[in-house]
Each structure stands twice: as structure tokens, then as C-alpha cells.
Amino acid sequence: MENGPEYRHHNVIRTDQPDGSILLTSGYEMSPVVETTGDWLHHWAEKCPDHVFLAERSGPGWREVSYQSALEQVRALGAALIARGLNKDTPILILSGNGVDHGLLALAAQYVGIPAVPVAEQYSLIPGAQAQLLHILEVIDPAMIYAVDGQKFAGSLGMDEMAGRSVVVSRNAGAGQTLLEELLRGDSANVDAARAEVGPDSVVKILMTSGSTSSPKGVMTTHRMMCSNQTQLADALPFLRERPPRIVDWLPWNHVFGGSHNFNMMLANGGSLYIDEGKPAKGLIDKTIENLGLMSSTLAFNVPVGFAMLRDAMKKDKALRETYFRELDMIFYAGASLPQDVWRDLEDMAREVRGQVPLMNTSWGLTETGPASLIQHEPTDRSGIVGVPLTGVTIKLLPNEENRYEVRVKGPNVMAGYHNAQDKTQEAFDEEGFFRTGDAMGFVDPQDMSKGMRFDGRISEDFKLLTGTWVRAAQLRMDALAALTPLAADLVITGEGRGQVGIMIVPGAELAASGALRDDNGVFTGDILQTQIGERLAELAKTAAGQSNRISRAVVLSEPPSIADGEITAKGNLNFRKIMMRRKALLDRLYDDEDQAVIRV
């Protein structure tokens, strides 16, 4: 990186234990940590009262809320919540997506010690997905429900299970519902006593896990977890403290990446969060592009497909390219490895605009770990490296096979447990108090700890072929997606108990819309598939080491994955096992050597 933002070199301490496990810690000391998120809000309201904290689109411009205004509204809302009898045992369920009112209400709840529970808005807006919402209502039993629009969310707000709960909306209130502006009219004088009872271990957010392998669990998130994690991140990324960061961000707040990592990074460092109502999907990416054209960011967070779509747009739009890179300190990808061609193109565009490359990186963690536990915080030239432990974090590595380890975590950013699920909590921690993540990793260079770790899949996703050979499904999936972009939007690795590895492909938008494809009872068929997909998989197979790393067959699904049927999680990820169970007949077709829809490699 040429003359980019200041960064810290990796510094890792390794301890080999008698049982064969390895402990990794940071060689840097952890900086002091504030006690609550409210401390950040008070600090910045005093230091830079007029600086923009939260903003959302309003007409041709933005509705902007300053730090001083945010503090005043948070205190008023907190007082109103306390006056209505809410407390640490009466959660607030937030149904709608990212928005200024959502952010202020969540912070108000944190300010006075009331757990807020943001959930994926599709659970409320897609009738078939309401089973997930009913499960969450049963687990959480909230006293108050918030939705931005009473009319838009009327279907869920009117369910019998909502009876007896207070309902607050920002607009279009129905019978018995309260407008959020009414909560802002009260006196905030009594809020200080409630705030004095709130401390680092107060549970102020409950984040639901994705539910990809079981029913969603509620992760009890404390002030200590959130405040520690932001201190750890700023220790690794010192430029966060040098100037207030600014982001234009779509990542959903019901997920720990958008709602804890990104939201709190702005609050902790006096930054500005401009809410992007778009996302990297057909029909919505144009809104993201419009928003990015209106406001430059200093940090860019996205998933790899999002960066790929933006790359394509910026190649055609010089003004967008200049606005995007003008002040950019960091490009941060998550969810999967960033394809190397996208990485290279982003570097080239950055050099063209400002003569230097931002720090290009990622980190690793889970909802239960705050989320960040490892981070790649010095420049690298390739994707897929998740880095080294953050300050205050201890990583335990248990050997799984040569240079592959099961990963466990301990630190102030790790949860105490799951909400109302003592049995699940006990299962989640080992005898030394380390959280069992279920992820696997390997060293980039086993002889040099400073090179960091690389992600090597979910241990629970690994399976054996009929030959007894293990298939590392997560890494194979990432390799296949890189080879098939943009023909494949996503895919499922198959083959457990069978003789060969196969894939079930979710087609990209352009491929799905192709007139050359024919629907054959749940799968697409056509010459274009046999040539384009078959040829790419054949090229990938040339580098495969053994049958377990070679994709030998594929089908392309004609029916999109369904969130209503549980095939897509709240995070937008595929639920692999659900897809294979629900589409068992198509899975059997994949392994039928006579089926003409199967792409054979």
C-alpha cells in the first residue's frame, strides 16, 4: 500500500499447551474501554455537538441527526420507555430494517438498560416467513414492538400473538398504536437514575443467530462486548482515531456485522453513518450506486458480490469512481473471500483516483464474539486471510489435521450466553471457558505467526464421500463460486455418503433470465449450461487434488431459494441442509447418470 492510512504490523504471541492445543494472543496491550455505549454518545455530543451521527435519505438529500440531537432524543426516548414500565426483563422487538428512528430507539434502550431485539424485516413482510417471527416471539416475549410504518407492517402487527404488547411506529399508526414522536415529548429529567443502574454487564441487545443449523438462538449482547470490541478494532486500525470515519452502509442491523461492528464503529469514533436503503441485489443496487454518488466514505464495508457489482458500475462511471475512492482509508469485505480479479480492479481504481491503495482487509468472528476476534490489519496482496488476534482476545487452536485447527475464543468481546437457553450455553463453552466456534482455520505460514490465519471452513459442514474421504465443503464452495461468477449467485456442495462431489447452483440474475434455458421440473437445462458452466468446472477440476476436491456434476435450480421455507437465513445465507432436505428429489436427480439436466465434468 503506497502512502495509505497508518496501520499496525501484526504482533502475535504463541503458546503451545501440553494437550497439543495452541494459544494465540496479541502482542499489543488493549486500550482502556468505556463502560457503556452511552459514554460514547455523551463524549461526542460534548466534543462535536453539530457533527452528523446518523442520516437517511429524505427526498433529494439526507435527513441528518447530529450527536447533540441524538443525545437529546435518546434521553427523551429512554425516559419514556422507563415511564411505560420497561426494564431489563421487558425486551423491545424491532421489526423494521435500518433507519434513523430504529437507531435512536435502540440506543435509548441501551442507555437505560432495556434489551433491544432487531430481527430481519422479511420475517414480518413475507407471510410465509412469519413462522420464524413466531418462534422469536416465543423465545423473547417482548413487551414492546417497533416498526417504522404501521401500515406496511400491519400483517405482522395484527397477529394474535402481538396482543397485549405495546406497539410503536414512526408513521401510519393504527388503532392502539403509539407514534414514536409521542415518546419524544416527555421530560428526560428522570432518565439519569435509570442510566446509573446500567453497567458493562447489562444485556442491552439480543441478536438472533441465523438458524442455519438449528432454530435461531438469542445472543445476549452486553455493553462490555460492544465497547471492548470497538476498542480492540481501533487498537488494530489506528486511523479510526485519527479522523472521524464516515460510511454509506446497507448492511442490516439485525446482523452483528452491520448492527454492532459498523454502527458502533461510527459511534465509538465520532463518525457518521449514512444509511443506504439499497443492497447488492437486482433492483436495489441502483439505489446504492445513487447514494454512493452523493456521499464519499472513508471506510467501505460490503460482501464480495456487492464489491463486484460496484466494480462493474465504477468501470462505466468515472464520477462515481472518483467519489467512491476520494477519501477511502479501508475496503473491508466479509461473508466470503473477495475474488482476486475484483481485488485487483479495486486497487487499480484507487491508484487512478488518489495514487494510493486503501487498506484492503477482513476480519473473523461470529454473533457470539461481538463479532471481531481476528483481523488482517496490515496490508496484504491477496484475499482470504483473516489475520491475527485482536488485543484482549485469546484464540485456542485444536489440531484437526495437518495445518487445520478447530477454533475457540475467549475475551471480553465474547458473550456470556444465550437468552433463556442454559443448555445451549453450557454446550457452547469448553471446560476452560473458551467459546466453541465450530470454525476451522490454518496458518498462512506455519513458520511465521505474523502472517496470520486463513479461514478453512465450518467443521459442521464437512462430510465424507462414500470412500470415507473428507470433503472440506466451505473452501470448495468458495473456489467454485469464484470460478462460476457471475453465472452462479450461490451454490450448495453435495455428496455426503455418495461417490462424487456435486453442486446445486442458484443461477445469477442474467443466467436465470436467459431465454436459452428450459425449466425441467425444478432444474434448468440447456446448451448454455453444458458449455459455460461445464467448461468452467472442467478448468477448476484440473487443479483439484483428489476426488474430494473435484466437482464432478452439477444442476442449476430453476426455483429460487425460499426464505418462507427456511432455505435462506436472516443473514441472507443459504441454509444448505434445508435446501437438500426440501429438494431431495432434485438431489437424487443430480446423481442420476441418465438425467440429461445434469452437467457432468
Side-chain angles (χ1 to χ4, degrees):
M1 183 171 62
E2 307 91 13
N3 302 316
E6 180 187 349
Y7 64 89
R8 261 185 154 177
H9 286 290
H10 290 171
N11 187 352
V12 185
I13 297 173
R14 170 174 173 162
T15 303
D16 291 272
Q17 300 206 109
D19 64 358
S21 64
I22 299 169
L23 300 183
L24 299 180
T25 56
S26 172
Y28 297 110
E29 291 293 324
M30 186 174 173
S31 299
V33 181
V34 300
E35 293 197 339
T36 72
T37 59
D39 294 339
W40 289 329
L41 190 55
H42 275 272
H43 173 78
W44 295 113
E46 179 179 349
K47 185 173 181 178
C48 50
D50 298 326
H51 189 70
V52 174
F53 168 39
L54 290 175
E56 63 188 3
R57 284 299 298 273
S58 178
W62 301 89
R63 170 197 173 191
E64 297 177 326
V65 177
S66 70
Y67 274 95
Q68 180 61 43
S69 177
L71 177 59
E72 292 170 357
Q73 293 182 68
V74 162
R75 286 175 58 82
L77 288 170
L81 297 176
I82 294 297
R84 283 161 174 74
L86 273 69
N87 56 50
K88 63 183 179 64
D89 299 316
T90 57
I92 301 171
L93 187 65
I94 300 178
L95 302 184
S96 48
N98 304 2
V100 167
D101 288 351
H102 174 163
L104 294 173
L105 181 62
L107 280 176
Q110 294 174 26
Y111 196 83
V112 295
I114 301 167
V117 190
V119 297
E121 65 177 10
Q122 54 262 45
Y123 289 167
S124 299
L125 299 179
I126 300 175
Q130 288 180 344
Q132 291 279 39
L133 180 59
L134 292 175
H135 170 76
I136 292 169
L137 283 169
E138 183 178 344
V139 170
I140 299 299
D141 191 22
M144 178 179 284
I145 312 292
Y146 169 76
V148 67
D149 190 313
Q151 183 174 329
K152 182 179 179 181
F153 287 82
S156 291
L157 294 175
M159 294 190 307
D160 291 342
E161 290 79 5
M162 296 293 185
R165 310 179 198 272
S166 174
V167 175
V168 176
V169 299
S170 291
R171 57 179 179 270
N172 296 324
Q177 297 175 0
T178 301
L179 282 170
L180 186 72
E181 65 183 32
E182 294 180 28
L183 302 187
L184 289 166
R185 295 173 185 161
D187 184 359
S188 64
N190 67 338
V191 78
D192 292 322
R195 185 186 176 223
E197 298 297 318
V198 180
D201 294 317
S202 298
V203 176
V204 288
K205 184 191 288 191
I206 300 175
L207 285 171
M208 306 305 297
T209 60
S210 65
S212 58
T213 57
S214 62
S215 296
K217 301 182 289 291
V219 175
M220 295 191 295
T221 304
T222 63
H223 280 297
R224 186 188 305 279
M225 286 175 65
M226 294 190 290
C227 296
S228 295
N229 211 213
Q230 290 307 318
T231 296
Q232 294 164 328
L233 286 163
D235 284 346
L237 306 170
F239 55 84
L240 291 174
R241 293 172 174 149
E242 292 171 2
R243 66 165 171 165
R246 181 172 60 251
I247 59 175
V248 180
D249 196 49
W250 66 270
L251 288 154
W253 293 349
N254 63 283
H255 180 208
V256 70
F257 183 15
S260 290
H261 187 284
N262 296 359
F263 186 98
N264 287 336
M265 187 175 285
M266 298 306 103
L267 180 59
N269 298 287
S272 302
L273 197 169
Y274 284 79
I275 298 165
D276 171 23
E277 69 274 37
K279 63 169 52 177
K282 187 177 181 181
L284 293 171
I285 188 64
D286 290 343
K287 180 58 70 174
T288 291
I289 291 170
E290 177 185 339
N291 291 332
L292 291 172
L294 291 172
M295 182 64 60
S296 290
S297 298
T298 65
L299 315 174
F301 297 101
N302 219 321
V303 293
V305 67
F307 280 121
M309 296 174 83
L310 290 176
R311 181 269 313 265
D312 294 343
M314 287 190 288
K315 279 186 173 182
K316 304 172 185 176
D317 189 336
K318 182 179 180 181
L320 174 64
R321 193 160 65 243
E322 291 181 346
T323 301
Y324 189 82
F325 287 104
R326 185 167 58 223
E327 301 182 69
L328 202 59
D329 288 331
M330 180 175 73
I331 291 176
F332 185 107
Y333 65 92
S337 290
L338 187 66
Q340 203 62 36
D341 65 308
V342 177
W343 178 293
R344 183 179 59 252
D345 288 344
L346 292 174
E347 282 189 330
D348 291 344
M349 291 178 186
R351 289 191 186 97
E352 173 197 332
V353 172
R354 58 184 300 198
Q356 63 187 44
V357 177
L359 177 64
M360 299 184 66
N361 71 335
T362 190
S363 72
W364 170 87
L366 299 89
T367 307
E368 291 91 340
T369 65
S373 290
L374 295 170
I375 190 169
Q376 175 66 26
H377 60 74
E378 67 177 30
T380 182
D381 59 0
R382 58 184 165 131
S383 179
I385 302 174
V386 296
V388 298
L390 288 164
T391 55
V393 170
T394 302
I395 299 292
K396 181 199 278 190
L397 303 174
L398 284 75
N400 182 260
E401 58 181 59
E402 185 177 358
N403 197 27
R404 191 172 194 258
Y405 303 86
E406 177 193 343
V407 184
R408 300 181 183 180
V409 186
K410 183 186 289 187
N413 54 307
V414 179
M415 71 165 189
Y418 297 112
H419 179 73
N420 287 343
Q422 185 60 34
D423 56 337
K424 297 293 184 184
T425 298
Q426 290 178 348
E427 293 171 6
F429 292 90
D430 68 14
E431 64 283 352
E432 293 184 293
F434 283 85
F435 175 69
R436 306 173 191 265
T437 71
D439 281 356
M441 290 190 192
F443 292 108
V444 173
D445 181 351
Q447 306 305 315
D448 186 355
M449 301 297 100
S450 69
K451 297 289 181 62
M453 307 293 294
R454 55 174 179 78
F455 183 70
D456 199 12
R458 293 278 302 167
I459 290 174
S460 62
E461 292 175 10
D462 293 349
F463 60 83
K464 285 184 178 181
L465 294 174
L466 195 60
T467 59
T469 306
W470 280 102
V471 174
R472 307 305 181 201
Q475 185 60 52
L476 187 56
R477 174 175 167 271
M478 288 189 286
D479 293 343
L481 274 174
L484 293 174
T485 300
L487 299 174
D490 211 333
L491 55 85
V492 178
I493 300 290
T494 68
E496 185 170 8
R498 299 180 185 266
Q500 296 178 325
V501 177
I503 55 175
M504 302 172 76
I505 298 173
V506 179
E510 291 186 13
L511 181 59
S514 172
L517 301 183
R518 299 182 299 277
D519 191 341
D520 183 3
N521 297 317
V523 297
F524 280 128
T525 186
D527 293 341
I528 188 175
L529 303 181
Q530 296 292 341
T531 54
Q532 293 191 33
I533 291 180
E535 288 173 1
R536 294 194 188 192
L537 290 177
E539 281 297 312
L540 185 64
K542 291 179 180 179
T543 60
Q547 193 73 1
S548 64
N549 292 302
R550 186 182 191 277
I551 296 170
S552 300
R553 53 187 62 230
V555 292
V556 178
L557 303 177
S558 61
E559 177 193 344
S562 167
I563 190 170
D565 292 311
E567 293 183 326
I568 299 179
T569 72
K571 297 177 182 177
N573 302 327
L574 294 186
N575 184 330
F576 306 130
R577 294 196 179 279
K578 178 68 74 171
I579 288 174
M580 286 188 280
M581 289 172 55
R582 183 170 177 265
R583 308 192 191 209
K584 176 65 164 56
L586 302 186
L587 181 61
D588 290 339
R589 287 184 64 183
L590 175 60
Y591 288 90
D592 182 351
D593 289 333
E594 304 300 321
D595 197 307
Q596 296 303 305
V598 177
I599 303 164
R600 294 173 183 81
V601 183

